[in-house]
Amino acid sequence: MDKSTFDTAKVVISGPMHSALKHDSAHKHVTGTADYIDDIPEPTGLLHGALGMSDRAHAEILSMDLSEVRRHPGVVWVFTGKDVPGVNDVSSNGSHDEPLLAETEVEFDGQPVFAVIAETRDAARMAARKAKIEYRDLPHFSDIDGALENGAPLVIAPMTLRRGDAKAEMDNAPHRLKGQMRIGGQEHFYLEGQIAMAIPGEDDEVTVWSSTQHPSEIQHIVGHVLNIPSNAVTVNVRRMGGGFGGKETQGNQFAALAAIAAKKLKRAVKFRPDRDEDMRATGKRHDFLVDYELAFDDEGRIHAVDATYAARCGFSSDLSGPVTDRALFHADSSYFYPHVHLTSIPLKTHTASNTAFRGFGGPQGMLGGERFIEEIAYAIGKDPLEIRKLNFYGQPGSGRTTTPYHQEIEDNIILRIVEELEESADYQARRNAVIAFNRDSRYIRKGIALTPVKFGISFTMTAFNQAGALVHIYQDGSIHLNHGGTEMGQGLYTKVAQVLSDSFQVDIDRVKITATTTGKVPNTSATAASSGSDLNGMAAYDAARQIKERLVAFAADKWSVDPAEIVFLPNRVRVGETEVPFPDFIKQAYFARVQLSAAGFYKTPKIHWDRAAGRGTPFYYFAYGAACSEVSIDTLTGEYLIDRTDILHDVGRSLNPAIDIGQVEGGFVQGMGWLTTEELWWDEKGRLRTHAPSTYKIPLASDRPKVFDVRLVDWSENAEPTIGRSKAVGEPPLMLAISVLEALSMAVASVADYKVCPRLDAPATPERVLMAVERMKRV
Amino acid sequence: MKDSIRFILNGEDITLSDVHPAETLLDFLRLRRRLTGTKEGCAEGDCGACTVLVGRLLDGKLFYETVNACIRFLGSLNGTHVVTVEHLAARNGTLHPVQQALVDYHGSQCGFCTPGFVMSLYGLWLSDEKPARPAIEKALQGNLCRCTGYEPIVKAAEAVSRVRPSTLFDPLEKTRSEIVSRLWAMQTRETITIVSGQDRLIVPGSVEALARVLADEPEATVVAGSTDVGLWVTKQMRALTPAIFINHLNELQAIKTTDGGVTIGAGVTYTKAFEILAPKVPTLGKLINRIGGEQVRNMGTIGGNIANGSPIGDSPPPLIALGATLKLRSATGTRMLRLEDYFIDYGKQDRKPGEFVESVFMPYPAAGSQFAVYKITKRRDEDITAVLGAFYLTLDEAGDVNDIRIAFGGMAATPKRARTVESDLIGKPWNEETVDRAREAFDADFQPLTDWRATAEYRQLTAKNLLRRFYLETVGTPVELKRFEGVS
């Protein structure tokens, strides 16, 4: 099709909402022409930065001799915290607990203490190794146990959720049990590492390209470290090579360092850490230690839950408050706890500051909830699925709809999803077959599990639930789209473009998707909490609505027709009896001096949250799903395979089924990695030793389930008036992978004839599986 | 003496006389040529975002292999054809079928890994018309994707095998004969030496020249596949001078088979070794396919795997269990030694200054013997060994153990025989009781370490259990997880 003309004979446009459109950059991805920040043509005179990093978990800095660093050929500038023109702090929450460059004390191995700027990246990296830093070691605690034993401080006040009287119910219920679960952290392993490039401008101005999910925060931080107002800082990002939460706050330091050096040296500066430096210096998913006590009856119905959630937060608070809060919000998984008492323990540790990661604490909370179900199921000798169904939240009016945070669940569809999947995956017959197989197999054992997902959608920080978009229509009818969301691969740009395509009824290739920039849409929220298309889709819809209202008013006036007789048809507008091609229509509107640009805005209704009271309505709605996984383990080595996974997932009325299926598949496999082979390992000196793909093992193609069937719930519509009645999809599917851990657990349990809950912790590496098998042998 | 290297980059002849020995192909592509389609994801050969094809002549035939540009040195490319993602689509913008399939099946999300996947799938497309799932997964062992969960990528790979129009534009099929003649013209028997500042890189024209150079420069680093040495540069920022590149020496890539065994040249890659060993010794074939990813197997060599002396290198234990011998060469001649004697201590091997590994002789398992090797890792594919056990058994007529050789990797400072276990078993009836009794002997042979790959406890327990697995296999009750029917 000729790109300069609009096809006005069409019955339907290409790319309306709900169509399975390709990712807008797919063609560029496969040809290698999609530019990431390191691919942008470099400005003349570009300099390169490298980090000088601490090699101690906790120490006082006695002296820093950087003379050899400065003397290294090609080095232009070496700087420390003292050289920061503004405030030496990059904390994302304003708590000033995260120095950009540590000055007197280092609090984790890998913490940046100085920066080198050189003519080449190699020169900067080599020079950085020549520092002579004298330390006095201080006691360190790098894990949860160490932190608890040493009475480590908390990085933020804990949160407590309470309803009923859990402690009293423990004594009253027919059964009670205590247990503990360890849940490992996770490295994001975005394929494109952290990177920032800064170009100095006139006066106090600076422009930064940053691989970030949160351009407005980068803008704020750069202003903060340079002591300049936000209006002097422009932050751009066209796309990231993956984010997963790891670029919500963790890009701050690299952007800040590049901007400081660029302003000081009046040259463009790029900061791109090596993979190992990236993994050592930046935070990860929090690992958790969950201590729980459960009360339940003979049927397996939960009476009370009392649990604490200790988390390794790292040396600063970063996002640990909202992350540990969200763990508590999801400690109920899909279950009604009549009496409940939950407390977070956000521990300070001498490790990189843990941060956002797809699910944001929710996965850890939910995994604990599923462990509770397993405990009860093994304690009373029933199929865990039976216990699940017994404990699901009920429908409104059932008296079983109140969450531990006192929000009422009004849109509950979990039972229907689970029952449909149970049927389509042939769960009962396969479970029987698995049990029969295990009876006859001495060394290879199988397990199967069907687990639910219920995930609350909205930022729990109410202010973040707002978004803006900027839409222009040019005289030729082509449309320019900008919004505050960022593209990290999740297809947000495509979905929001579909909203505009749909609104104006023009083919999607008429909509130009432009890089996110703080100069066009201000005060944006991080593209996080699965909220990207909910918020930005609605903001773009609002902008389109404004322009369309003006266009309708203009046309009604010009052609003297009733506004109701003006209809946007594919690539044309019907005005009364006549049809005008869209570009002609726009041209005429231009000549009539109609404003063809609008800033759209959206804020999520209904939600509010009172953290101190532990009460409110933090979530606008819930997304649901269920997965059934079958696995085989080798009880001689602990090795395993995922034989089959069936998924049924709820995205409301999908904005783009192709993209949503991709999110579900990818989220599941990423969650599977978290729960199986992805293990973070610190040595006794508090040094992370798994800081590259050679030592940190994310799933490969051959790790995904041998049979992998993923479907979207085709009857679901969001009960709330979201964009196209769709639901968020980024985070919820990650937790479908809990089915894998529980299936492994069942295979282990077979060794002791399913009489004992194996308490298989995460990640279930072959080693953890084998050791659990050994424990079962000793039962 | 020549002072430049020559190769073809996509369509263009390249001659370079300003090559630093530690300059990687990836930096050359991205920094010097601004070919930014090839990405850096890890700079250690594990993620595959930098995958390119390198075409080379072996025995007069041109074939293309995927490699990791991040750890491939520019100095190792003389006389080759480097193909990057920018070369695939037709001039008019028509995508190659491999690219089109990835688009059609939604195989990219963030897109950063995608050019690497395109190149790995293209490598597969060139070599396998109808790849089944195991072949696709094998071709993708060296490519990490964090977004898609791989399902759409695998589906794209399956789909592309079904559509293969004869009129198709394919940049390499179309130019094959022309490229062969251009590459022929670039081959040289002269030694290339390039000096840049303090640093030198040497590309010897022959094995004799290699021996002479090494006699003059005993401290030089010999670089074959660079799957290990590459990381010295990208991770440790070590200077690499003088560096001697040997991966083009066809003499070192000879494989000679006799009735009794096979002599494998030190420069034979894992991929080429697999072709010859897998049909003869299937258990070795399985092992080789779990070493690194495809790109690493296309670069890494059996000789390098031995020469670097790693305690977790995967080929020494099975070779030791089979009784392999090593041939070392220097300017003054050659000497043979038993492979197990080559490993003296951690980081210390019996290789004298000026010597290099020329070949290894691996006897085939004798008729009636039993042989197996098992690799235990955290992630099944493309992972470094936690424990690797190799077992070679012969029974006498009574069914007693006549001889058994057991060698482990990951259990000690070097690849090591389980001598106590062996002597515990020899002469005993080969049954479950004997095997169970021998478990204790492992504690005399091995005191493994705890690290991020495994705890000492897990290593020891697994080592013992592998003996049991071997026993079960020898008596016809194998314990196997099967990802695909007939394929483990």
Side-chain angles (χ1 to χ4, degrees):
Chain A
M1 189 170 66
D2 179 356
K3 296 241 172 192
S4 65
T5 60
F6 285 73
D7 181 355
T8 54
K10 279 191 158 180
V11 181
V12 286
I13 50 159
S14 66
M17 290 201 287
H18 315 298
S19 61
L21 219 61
K22 297 177 197 344
H23 192 285
D24 72 273
S25 294
H27 193 282
K28 292 191 279 279
H29 292 155
V30 299
T31 49
T33 54
D35 281 347
Y36 302 83
I37 290 170
D38 205 31
D39 304 331
I40 297 172
E42 294 180 346
T44 306
L46 175 81
L47 297 170
H48 300 264
L51 292 178
M53 295 157 78
S54 133
D55 59 3
R56 309 297 169 101
H58 188 202
E60 185 187 345
I61 300 173
L62 297 178
S63 68
M64 242 195 275
D65 176 0
L66 302 176
S67 54
E68 288 288 312
V69 185
R70 292 195 172 90
R71 269 199 292 276
H72 189 85
V75 169
V76 177
W77 189 38
V78 180
F79 65 105
T80 67
K82 293 185 181 62
D83 301 302
V84 177
V87 185
N88 181 19
D89 173 67
V90 289
S91 65
S92 57
N93 55 17
S95 61
H96 284 227
D97 61 354
E98 193 165 336
L100 171 60
L101 295 168
E103 291 188 63
T104 55
E105 184 181 337
V106 293
E107 295 194 282
F108 71 97
D109 176 72
Q111 185 170 12
V113 289
F114 68 93
V116 190
I117 308 295
E119 297 288 349
T120 66
R121 185 167 175 269
D122 272 356
R125 290 183 68 205
M126 275 190 217
R129 290 168 188 242
K130 293 187 167 175
K132 294 195 187 80
I133 303 175
E134 220 187 327
Y135 293 104
R136 186 172 69 85
D137 282 320
L138 299 168
H140 74 270
F141 32 92
S142 52
D143 58 14
I144 291 172
D145 296 293
L148 286 172
E149 280 160 25
N150 287 284
L154 304 181
V155 294
I156 188 166
M159 185 174 84
T160 295
L161 298 181
R162 184 184 287 114
R163 216 190 57 250
D165 189 345
K167 297 220 187 298
E169 279 303 304
M170 291 295 164
D171 297 327
N172 299 337
H175 303 280
R176 67 192 285 182
L177 66 79
K178 274 187 179 186
Q180 187 178 67
M181 181 172 205
R182 284 175 193 279
I183 301 168
Q186 187 178 24
E187 159 65 29
H188 304 85
F189 213 88
Y190 28 65
L191 260 289
E192 178 210 33
Q194 304 280 350
I195 181 167
M197 178 168 73
I199 301 182
E202 296 176 351
D203 302 324
D204 53 4
E205 292 168 16
V206 62
T207 303
V208 181
W209 277 261
S210 168
S211 185
T212 179
Q213 295 170 237
H214 200 349
S216 287
E217 180 166 308
I218 298 282
Q219 178 192 29
H220 169 77
I221 290 287
V222 166
H224 187 58
V225 297
L226 282 171
N227 195 26
I228 57 175
S230 288
N231 65 10
V233 184
T234 304
V235 178
N236 302 318
V237 54
R238 171 59 183 86
R239 64 172 63 78
M240 283 164 270
F244 316 112
K247 293 172 179 171
E248 184 168 343
T249 62
Q250 301 300 292
N252 289 355
Q253 53 191 322
F254 304 100
L257 291 168
I260 289 169
K263 288 307 284 181
K264 162 88 177 179
L265 302 169
K266 298 186 171 56
R267 288 168 74 174
V269 174
K270 192 192 281 185
F271 242 94
R272 176 170 73 83
D274 172 59
R275 175 65 61 181
D276 301 70
E277 293 157 1
D278 185 314
M279 286 181 74
R280 283 176 66 205
T282 65
K284 307 171 194 320
R285 186 188 295 286
H286 295 64
D287 43 346
F288 272 72
L289 180 65
V290 186
D291 281 286
Y292 50 87
E293 186 166 16
L294 312 171
F296 53 98
D297 59 26
D298 295 339
E299 296 294 301
R301 197 178 287 261
I302 296 170
H303 286 207
V305 173
D306 187 0
T308 59
Y309 295 78
R312 168 164 22 199
C313 295
F315 83 105
S316 74
S317 52
D318 186 66
L319 297 168
S320 291
V323 166
T324 50
D325 289 358
R326 192 170 270 268
L328 264 54
F329 287 129
H330 288 83
D332 60 348
S333 193
S334 297
Y335 312 111
F336 175 64
Y337 298 161
H339 297 269
V340 57
H341 177 237
L342 309 168
T343 304
S344 64
I345 310 176
L347 292 162
K348 172 168 178 150
T349 51
H350 295 111
T351 50
S353 191
N354 282 336
T355 191
F357 194 144
R358 201 176 197 168
F360 204 76
Q364 296 95 317
M366 202 180 287
L367 188 60
E370 297 305 335
R371 163 67 74 81
F372 304 162
I373 296 293
E374 262 196 289
E375 287 273 22
I376 295 167
Y378 284 101
I380 62 176
K382 285 189 175 170
D383 176 356
L385 182 57
E386 206 180 309
I387 307 301
R388 294 201 155 92
K389 290 185 188 169
L390 195 64
N391 285 288
F392 279 152
Y393 279 109
Q395 293 302 318
S398 65
R400 295 173 56 83
T401 56
T402 314
T403 62
Y405 42 97
H406 301 271
Q407 175 168 355
E408 294 298 317
I409 296 187
E410 294 163 351
D411 62 0
N412 183 2
I413 53 172
I414 191 61
L415 184 63
R416 182 170 171 191
I417 291 176
V418 162
E419 287 184 341
E420 284 190 15
L421 182 66
E422 188 180 354
E423 181 75 26
S424 65
D426 200 14
Y427 171 82
Q428 293 300 343
R430 285 169 58 208
R431 181 175 152 91
N432 291 339
V434 161
I435 291 169
F437 174 91
N438 288 343
R439 215 174 289 135
D440 300 332
S441 179
R442 188 165 166 197
Y443 297 104
I444 303 291
R445 293 297 174 91
K446 284 176 170 280
I448 186 169
L450 196 163
T451 59
V453 168
K454 165 189 127 288
F455 197 76
I457 303 300
S458 294
F459 287 98
T460 51
M461 168 71 173
T462 307
F464 292 167
N465 297 288
Q466 60 171 312
L470 181 66
V471 174
H472 310 317
I473 306 180
Y474 293 101
Q475 289 178 54
D476 64 353
S478 66
I479 299 173
H480 172 112
L481 165 62
N482 197 272
H483 55 77
T486 56
E487 176 65 40
M488 59 196 100
Q490 83 280 40
L492 174 65
Y493 278 16
T494 311
K495 284 184 173 178
V496 180
Q498 284 177 264
V499 171
L500 278 198
S501 173
D502 204 293
S503 292
F504 291 112
Q505 285 294 301
V506 296
D507 288 327
I508 193 130
D509 56 5
R510 305 300 145 164
V511 181
K512 183 73 159 180
I513 303 170
T514 61
T516 312
T517 173
T518 54
K520 285 184 188 168
V521 176
N523 307 319
T524 56
S525 297
T527 307
S530 307
S531 68
S533 45
D534 278 8
L535 296 178
N536 296 288
M538 282 302 252
Y541 182 80
D542 180 51
R545 178 192 56 78
Q546 295 173 45
I547 297 173
K548 279 172 70 179
E549 280 175 10
R550 291 180 209 138
L551 288 170
V552 167
F554 144 75
D557 183 47
K558 179 179 166 73
W559 280 281
S560 303
V561 296
D562 190 90
E565 290 179 66
I566 297 160
V567 186
F568 287 79
L569 297 173
N571 298 321
R572 60 197 189 274
V573 183
R574 188 167 68 212
V575 185
E577 299 300 306
T578 49
E579 289 191 359
V580 187
F582 188 77
D584 298 348
F585 183 78
I586 292 298
K587 179 138 289 181
Q588 299 199 43
Y590 164 75
F591 280 111
R593 296 186 294 174
V594 175
Q595 188 192 0
L596 294 173
S597 172
F601 186 76
Y602 176 73
K603 58 181 179 180
T604 312
K606 289 188 174 179
I607 50 177
H608 61 93
W609 176 241
D610 180 345
R611 186 177 190 263
R615 270 176 184 271
T617 304
F619 303 121
Y620 187 34
Y621 64 88
F622 294 89
Y624 298 89
C628 177
S629 292
E630 183 177 335
V631 304
S632 306
I633 68 168
D634 176 344
T635 58
L636 286 175
T637 60
E639 295 164 290
Y640 46 78
L641 287 176
I642 319 299
D643 297 315
R644 174 172 164 184
T645 294
D646 296 75
I647 289 171
L648 187 55
H649 194 78
D650 160 39
V651 295
R653 194 166 168 226
S654 173
L655 280 181
N656 182 325
I659 282 174
D660 285 345
I661 293 254
Q663 288 296 297
V664 176
E665 288 172 343
F668 171 84
V669 170
Q670 195 172 72
M672 191 187 85
W674 167 52
L675 295 173
T676 56
T677 58
E678 293 184 39
E679 186 174 35
L680 294 162
W681 196 89
W682 285 264
D683 66 17
E684 71 287 349
K685 289 183 172 162
R687 296 177 300 190
L688 177 68
R689 300 301 294 274
T690 46
H691 48 67
S694 52
T695 47
Y696 184 77
K697 311 312 284 186
I698 73 169
L700 281 169
S702 54
D703 293 310
R704 76 194 200 295
K706 191 162 60 176
V707 177
F708 194 19
D709 182 53
V710 176
R711 286 176 299 126
L712 301 177
V713 177
D714 57 10
W715 44 262
S716 175
E717 273 200 359
N718 200 329
E720 300 294 338
T722 52
I723 186 76
R725 296 274 175 180
S726 64
K727 287 189 182 184
V729 68
E731 293 164 294
L734 184 117
M735 285 149 277
L736 296 166
I738 293 171
S739 59
V740 171
L741 183 71
E742 194 176 307
L744 289 168
S745 170
M746 180 189 173
V748 170
S750 74
V751 174
D753 203 21
Y754 317 101
K755 288 194 165 56
V756 184
C757 180
R759 294 188 172 172
L760 179 62
D761 286 342
T765 56
E767 168 155 359
R768 248 180 223 103
V769 169
L770 183 65
M771 294 312 180
V773 164
E774 291 294 306
R775 281 202 308 277
M776 291 298 103
K777 285 185 186 167
R778 292 193 293 265
V779 162
Chain B
M1 193 176 72
K2 299 183 72 132
D3 63 357
S4 60
I5 60 161
R6 294 176 65 201
F7 59 95
I8 304 170
L9 172 60
N10 294 330
E12 187 186 346
D13 278 12
I14 304 281
T15 302
L16 296 172
S17 51
D18 58 340
V19 182
H20 188 274
E23 183 171 0
T24 64
L25 174 56
L26 181 62
D27 278 353
F28 172 75
L29 294 174
R30 291 188 58 87
L31 302 180
R32 285 218 230 176
R33 306 290 303 198
R34 295 302 300 171
L35 287 170
T36 54
T38 309
K39 311 296 183 193
E40 179 183 312
C42 69
E44 61 179 15
D46 261 281
C47 82
C50 65
T51 304
V52 299
L53 291 184
V54 172
R56 61 177 176 132
L57 297 171
L58 185 65
D59 304 326
K61 249 190 81 189
L62 169 63
F63 67 100
Y64 290 93
E65 295 165 310
T66 53
V67 307
N68 294 118
C70 68
I71 50 169
R72 183 75 188 248
F73 293 111
L74 208 48
S76 74
L77 290 166
N78 192 63
T80 65
H81 182 198
V82 176
V83 183
T84 70
V85 69
E86 286 86 355
H87 198 53
L88 253 66
R91 285 264 165 78
N92 68 6
T94 304
L95 297 180
H96 189 275
V98 165
Q99 294 171 308
Q100 189 61 51
L102 278 170
V103 171
D104 293 342
Y105 284 81
H106 310 281
S108 69
Q109 287 182 24
C110 88
F112 196 83
C113 69
T114 310
F117 274 92
V118 166
M119 296 311 284
S120 282
L121 290 180
Y122 184 41
L124 178 67
W125 192 86
L126 286 172
S127 62
D128 191 342
E129 292 226 345
K130 288 261 178 258
R133 285 214 164 188
I136 293 167
E137 291 185 1
K138 183 167 100 66
L140 297 180
Q141 278 171 339
N143 290 82
L144 298 177
C145 168
R146 193 54 152 166
C147 296
T148 64
Y150 304 99
E151 191 68 14
I153 298 173
V154 172
K155 284 183 177 147
E158 285 179 325
V160 79
S161 75
R162 291 195 293 269
V163 198
R164 219 180 171 92
S166 56
T167 55
L168 174 76
F169 171 84
D170 181 88
L172 299 186
E173 300 292 6
K174 216 179 78 178
T175 55
R176 188 169 276 274
S177 59
E178 175 215 328
I179 294 288
V180 169
S181 49
R182 281 162 71 185
L183 290 181
W184 266 123
M186 291 178 175
Q187 308 304 310
T188 175
R189 298 288 289 176
E190 275 184 77
T191 292
I192 302 167
T193 303
I194 299 178
V195 180
S196 57
Q198 302 290 306
D199 300 321
R200 276 172 308 136
L201 78 81
I202 300 160
V203 186
S206 63
V207 173
E208 293 71 31
L210 166 62
R212 280 197 305 276
V213 170
L214 210 49
D216 294 342
E217 313 257 14
E219 299 305 312
T221 303
V222 177
V223 186
S226 69
T227 56
D228 189 27
V229 177
L231 277 67
W232 302 359
V233 169
T234 60
K235 298 291 161 177
Q236 301 166 26
M237 313 284 304
R238 271 160 71 173
L240 203 62
T241 186
I244 306 175
F245 294 99
I246 62 165
N247 59 328
H248 62 293
L249 294 173
N250 277 354
E251 299 101 303
L252 289 180
Q253 292 174 47
I255 299 173
K256 292 190 198 87
T257 54
T258 58
D259 289 346
V262 56
T263 303
I264 304 165
V268 172
T269 61
Y270 295 114
T271 299
K272 291 289 162 196
F274 173 86
E275 288 168 13
I276 201 79
L277 294 178
K280 292 274 188 191
V281 193
T283 185
L284 264 182
K286 284 187 198 171
L287 170 68
I288 291 172
N289 277 344
R290 290 181 53 199
I291 295 175
E294 192 89 333
Q295 300 92 324
V296 161
R297 291 191 294 269
N298 288 336
M299 294 164 67
T301 63
I302 301 287
N305 194 223
I306 293 167
N308 76 359
S310 166
I312 45 176
D314 283 349
S315 57
L319 289 170
I320 288 170
L322 287 168
T325 50
L326 200 59
K327 190 176 185 184
L328 291 162
R329 179 161 171 177
S330 68
T332 56
T334 60
R335 70 182 169 108
M336 309 281 288
L337 77 165
R338 294 196 311 166
L339 179 60
E340 63 178 293
D341 297 333
Y342 176 72
F343 301 101
I344 300 167
D345 203 346
Y346 183 76
K348 193 173 173 208
Q349 297 88 41
D350 182 8
R351 184 158 60 88
K352 299 187 173 64
E355 273 187 336
F356 61 93
V357 175
E358 184 178 75
S359 63
V360 59
F361 171 73
M362 186 195 91
Y364 292 136
S369 70
Q370 305 263 13
F371 172 67
V373 55
Y374 312 113
K375 171 171 165 145
I376 306 298
T377 49
K378 212 178 274 184
R379 182 180 69 196
R380 184 172 47 257
D381 292 328
E382 203 209 24
D383 196 0
I384 294 169
T385 290
V387 180
L388 184 143
F391 303 84
Y392 178 75
L393 169 77
T394 54
L395 299 177
D396 63 19
E397 282 166 10
D400 295 344
V401 177
N402 177 46
D403 192 16
I404 187 162
R405 287 197 297 267
I406 302 174
F408 273 90
M411 294 290 288
T414 61
K416 193 179 162 216
R417 291 272 293 269
R419 296 274 186 188
T420 318
V421 179
E422 291 172 4
S423 56
D424 229 44
L425 294 167
I426 287 170
K428 307 264 174 54
W430 183 239
N431 59 28
E432 204 164 321
E433 201 192 326
T434 304
V435 167
D436 274 349
R437 252 204 328 266
R439 290 173 75 89
E440 267 178 42
F442 277 89
D443 300 326
D445 283 325
F446 300 113
Q447 294 80 43
L449 293 175
T450 289
D451 67 9
W452 50 92
R453 294 199 179 90
T455 62
E457 189 190 5
Y458 175 75
R459 285 189 161 108
Q460 194 74 290
L461 175 61
T462 304
K464 293 172 183 176
N465 286 352
L466 288 181
L467 175 63
R468 163 162 297 235
R469 181 193 276 183
F470 178 61
Y471 165 76
L472 291 164
E473 223 170 79
T474 61
V475 296
T477 49
V479 177
E480 241 180 324
L481 292 168
K482 289 201 176 79
R483 179 152 172 84
F484 296 98
E485 285 313 308
V487 186
S488 73

